[in-house]
Amino acid sequence: MNSTAQHLPLAMQALRAWAAGAPLILDVSPGEREAMARLRIETAFEDPAAPSPFQSLYRIVFARQRAAAEAVRADLARLSTPSRFYKGAAIVQDVLGGEPFSLMRDVDLVVPSDRASLARAVLRHHGFRQADFDTAERALRSYDPLKVAAYEDDSYELYAFSRIERFPLPELLAGCPELWQRAPIWLDGDEVLLLVTLDVHLRAAQDIPAEHLWSGPEDRPFVDPSVEAWLLATRYYLDIARQRPRPVLRDLFYLARLFPQAEIDRCVALATRHDSLPAMFYTYEFLRRLGMPGAALPETVLTDGNRRNDFGWQYGRLWGGVDGAPSLAA
């Protein structure tokens, strides 16, 4: 059994507590923390009022990432181009009170597809490049423009934009070597090197129109929680069902707080429209049976809808269980 699998019961315990609204606050061992880091939930055990150096670092990193994104959004607004935070960056700010509980590797933004060229120009003005990071050289490596064009020609997003920021090593984080050399941060002498990456989305997916990302008041800075919940539940469930690598549990922690703030009837309506009712039903019911507040979804949600993407209960597989209703949540 690998170390991550060995610590999955602890992760399950934390998810159950988180879903019920009473986070599991405890001291974890270095081995447990490393395992939780691979699941992207390493500070889900912490008291925000008494942050560890890890949580302090994540706050610093996210503050700088958010500031970079806000500067881009401000220039886009001056050019009459709307934008919104999307996915993790939206959830952390809109639902979690600005508290990330792992390193945010990038920040996702949504812009209208007909303003993609303008968004690209604004990002370049702010020092961002469509380039990959060379960890050995600690520098950005230019990407082949033809490959960028090919990627964007068949994608719902632009190729990622990155820039490097450097800032002095904060005193409270000195002497914590285990914090460094993990994307997107590296220690370089007495400076911190931060790779700030912005992902610009033009729509949610190839087969989902952009209109859902723009629902709600025009000046709303975040994608609506109901839309986020439906999209994230769909992505997560289908990735597990199709056996794509998805050991990251952070998304389930996100969903356990997203669903209570979402309009569940609206989530179901969106799932009905886009043939994703099974993902919505199984994900919501899994978390609800863990203790997440909310009314039960009737099984008629499944039987009355399109079951083309119905792969049954999948979530037991995350903990090495068998398919079936999540009795493991009891």
Side-chain angles (χ1 to χ4, degrees):
M1 180 181 294
N2 64 45
S3 62
T4 301
Q6 177 185 351
H7 295 296
L8 282 174
L10 176 62
M12 181 66 178
Q13 185 182 359
L15 178 58
R16 183 183 290 111
W18 181 267
L24 182 66
I25 306 299
L26 52 80
D27 291 327
V28 294
S29 69
E32 289 170 334
R33 183 178 292 279
E34 183 61 32
M36 296 305 109
R38 286 193 286 272
L39 299 171
R40 307 293 290 280
I41 59 169
E42 58 266 43
T43 61
F45 304 89
E46 294 194 11
D47 180 356
S52 70
F54 293 89
Q55 185 64 9
S56 298
L57 173 64
Y58 302 157
R59 289 176 178 177
I60 291 169
V61 169
F62 185 61
R64 297 186 76 95
Q65 292 168 321
R66 181 176 56 199
E70 288 287 18
V72 170
R73 293 187 66 240
D75 274 359
L76 288 171
R78 280 190 283 271
L79 296 168
S80 302
T81 300
S83 64
R84 285 182 174 177
F85 286 100
Y86 178 38
K87 300 175 72 172
I91 296 166
V92 167
Q93 295 178 82
D94 195 27
V95 178
L96 301 182
E99 284 288 347
F101 50 78
S102 67
L103 279 173
M104 299 285 291
R105 297 189 180 183
D106 54 38
V107 169
D108 296 276
L109 297 176
V110 180
V111 300
S113 58
D114 62 352
R115 309 295 277 177
S117 295
L118 178 61
R120 185 181 286 106
V122 169
L123 281 155
R124 288 173 176 164
H125 173 73
H126 283 266
F128 287 90
R129 295 166 51 195
Q130 290 179 294
D132 294 327
F133 184 70
D134 188 320
T135 56
E137 297 293 331
R138 304 285 173 87
L140 289 172
R141 184 177 64 248
S142 295
Y143 205 66
D144 184 342
L146 293 178
K147 290 184 178 180
V148 171
Y151 175 89
E152 295 181 351
D153 186 56
D154 190 37
S155 178
Y156 50 85
E157 63 182 355
L158 302 182
Y159 193 85
F161 289 82
S162 298
R163 80 180 185 198
I164 293 172
E165 292 187 7
R166 292 178 177 270
F167 55 96
L169 174 64
E171 184 176 348
L172 80 162
L173 301 177
C176 298
E178 69 273 23
L179 294 178
W180 312 106
Q181 322 311 331
R182 177 182 297 168
I185 55 168
W186 292 266
L187 188 60
D188 191 11
D190 58 356
E191 288 187 318
V192 178
L193 185 156
L194 169 62
L195 182 67
V196 179
T197 300
L198 300 185
D199 280 343
V200 177
H201 296 255
L202 309 178
R203 52 190 185 278
Q206 293 287 32
D207 56 345
I208 297 176
E211 65 187 73
H212 303 309
L213 301 177
W214 298 104
S215 60
E218 288 186 4
D219 61 350
R220 181 176 173 79
F222 315 114
V223 171
D224 183 90
S226 299
V227 176
E228 291 277 13
W230 158 61
L231 288 170
L232 183 53
T234 300
R235 286 194 300 268
Y236 201 93
Y237 175 81
L238 292 178
D239 279 357
I240 293 173
R242 294 166 180 169
Q243 300 187 27
R244 292 175 180 166
R246 180 64 99 169
V248 174
L249 298 185
R250 183 180 62 187
D251 290 353
L252 288 177
F253 281 74
Y254 283 170
L255 283 162
R257 295 296 171 86
L258 266 173
F259 278 134
Q261 295 198 26
E263 299 174 34
I264 300 303
D265 287 347
R266 186 172 173 218
C267 292
V268 170
L270 288 165
T272 301
R273 178 177 171 183
H274 295 285
D275 296 340
S276 52
L277 274 172
M280 177 66 201
F281 175 83
Y282 293 121
T283 308
Y284 176 87
E285 278 299 300
F286 170 72
L287 290 169
R288 189 189 66 80
R289 297 180 194 193
L290 281 180
M292 181 184 74
L297 284 178
E299 289 193 2
T300 52
V301 166
L302 287 177
T303 57
D304 292 347
N306 186 325
R307 302 187 71 173
R308 181 168 59 89
N309 291 313
D310 189 341
F311 301 100
W313 291 99
Q314 293 286 321
Y315 287 105
R317 294 171 54 188
L318 290 172
W319 286 270
V322 297
D323 198 10
S327 58
L328 74 157

